[in-house]
Amino acid sequence: MTTATGNPPIDEAELQAFLGQAVVDMGAAISGLLLHLGDRLGLYKAMAGAGPITSATLAQRTGTSERLVREWLGNQTAGGYVGHDPAAGTYELPPEHAMVLANEDSPVFLGGAFEAIASCYADHEVLAEAFRTGAGVGWAEHDHRLYSGIVRFFRPGYAAHLVEEWLPALDGVVEKLRSGASVADVGCGHGASTVIMARAFERSTFAGFDPHDASVEAARTAAREAGLEQRARFDVASGRDFPGLGYDLVCLFDALHDMGDPVTAARRVRRSLAPDGTLLLVEPYAGDALEENLNPVGRVYYGLSTVICTPGSLAQEVGLGLGAQAGERRLTEVLHEAGFHHVRRAAETPFNLILEARP
């Protein structure tokens, strides 16, 4: 195919291949919304372990419209999320898929991720304005589903890895926690990570800090419901001015890259530590160069970084804009600039990079 305007000729095979890719992404985009609806309406939970089920039964069990559920099931079948028996007119959610879609205790549950992504679609006007002005988008400016979606996205990974893998990978930290340590969780959000640690280490005390008032209230509620409010307290404070000194452990879970001034925040962490204290830094997994992140996980994180992390940083003082794909080398530079002399990779998962830093 050639053009009549003098532009380079079009490779028809390349055009068709890319068109096919875009159509797949178009299906993924609308299916992401339907996944969010299935999560919100309890459709996946009702199908989990139920075996073959009709659209009418599913609608009855969830208090939803059979006609809309039937159309939703069509999308789910076309996407390979559920199985379908045409002769029986039934649908079935495989147990492996239920771990991703229905079981919130599963380490691979993704319902929260799609909730957070759906919130970003609702924010499209403010995001477009941020692109035009470069002024950023503050955390409190987002659709409310972002906050609940983020905690539901991160909690399964923290529950699966934090106590069993990440903390033991730090030199001498678990021993301190078992005997009674003072811990700060900076940028704690709804307190999922704080509560997980407080449950595991009964002799230690935990202080969670976050600049978002509503998140701090949610964290206090979570600690109270877990019966941990005496050992896990939460206050509104930023990474640059959180109170306290002599902490044995300070944790930053998926928070440093969101900060406008991560160097000053890391410097405050260093000053808050006991002489033999440790910083646990958990960040999204990334290589040091764009070319190392051209994969499905990198695509997700660059997307989330574009609409959440980077505009959030730009909306704050300094506005460094590290982004969710900063990578180990850039993160280490930030920590060294803040005064940490010993930085190493302690662990990793396909989604997380775990660094240990000491003064």
Side-chain angles (χ1 to χ4, degrees), residues 36-80:
H36 174 48
L37 285 170
D39 174 51
R40 181 175 180 178
L41 296 170
L43 297 172
Y44 294 119
K45 286 183 172 65
M47 294 186 75
I53 189 172
T54 66
S55 58
T57 300
L58 180 58
Q60 189 275 327
R61 291 182 181 178
T62 55
T64 53
S65 161
E66 186 280 332
R67 183 63 191 91
L68 292 177
V69 166
R70 190 182 349 138
E71 208 71 2
W72 178 84
L73 285 165
N75 165 272
Q76 299 292 289
T77 303

Side-chain angles (χ1 to χ4, degrees), residues 12 82 147 203 241 243 255 265:
E12 183 66 26
V82 305
Y147 317 123
R203 295 183 179 180
D241 61 13

Side-chain angles (χ1 to χ4, degrees), residues 158 162 183-189 191-195 197 206-210 234 242 247 249-253 255:
Y158 296 163
L162 176 53
V183 181
D185 189 351
V186 180
C188 65
S193 50
T194 323
V195 168
M197 291 188 291
F206 300 83
F209 304 105
D210 198 278
F234 298 90
F242 67 92
Y247 292 113
L249 175 67
V250 175
C251 304
L252 286 163
F253 293 100

Side-chain angles (χ1 to χ4, degrees), residues 1-229:
M1 180 185 295
T2 58
T3 65
T5 60
N7 291 327
I10 297 297
D11 183 320
E12 183 66 26
E14 174 65 20
L15 171 61
Q16 293 303 319
F18 180 70
L19 178 61
Q21 177 185 338
V23 170
V24 169
D25 284 352
M26 183 167 62
I30 191 61
S31 296
L33 172 60
L34 296 192
L35 193 157
H36 174 48
L37 285 170
D39 174 51
R40 181 175 180 178
L41 296 170
L43 297 172
Y44 294 119
K45 286 183 172 65
M47 294 186 75
I53 189 172
T54 66
S55 58
T57 300
L58 180 58
Q60 189 275 327
R61 291 182 181 178
T62 55
T64 53
S65 161
E66 186 280 332
R67 183 63 191 91
L68 292 177
V69 166
R70 190 182 349 138
E71 208 71 2
W72 178 84
L73 285 165
N75 165 272
Q76 299 292 289
T77 303
Y81 281 31
V82 305
H84 175 52
D85 183 341
T90 58
Y91 305 83
E92 186 170 5
L93 182 67
E96 297 82 4
H97 298 197
M99 290 184 66
V100 177
L101 302 171
N103 182 2
E104 300 208 25
D105 294 324
S106 162
V108 294
F109 176 71
L110 291 181
F114 284 90
E115 180 179 4
I117 292 169
S119 78
C120 297
Y121 273 81
D123 291 336
H124 70 281
E125 288 292 353
V126 70
L127 291 168
E129 186 64 17
F131 267 78
R132 296 186 185 102
T133 66
V137 180
W139 185 253
E141 298 178 60
H142 286 280
D143 180 89
H144 67 93
R145 288 170 296 172
L146 177 62
Y147 317 123
S148 53
I150 286 295
V151 70
R152 295 176 70 221
F153 177 34
F154 285 133
R155 184 193 288 120
Y158 296 163
H161 302 290
L162 176 53
V163 172
E164 299 296 327
E165 299 172 22
W166 299 346
L167 290 171
L170 308 179
D171 291 337
V173 167
V174 168
E175 290 79 3
K176 292 180 182 179
L177 290 167
R178 286 173 177 163
S179 60
S182 175
V183 181
D185 189 351
V186 180
C188 65
H190 285 208
S193 50
T194 323
V195 168
I196 289 168
M197 291 188 291
R199 278 185 175 139
F201 302 101
E202 298 179 353
R203 295 183 179 180
S204 293
T205 58
F206 300 83
F209 304 105
D210 198 278
H212 187 231
D213 296 58
S215 291
V216 168
E217 285 302 319
R220 288 170 177 163
T221 298
R224 186 168 56 253
E225 291 176 348
L228 298 169
E229 65 270 30

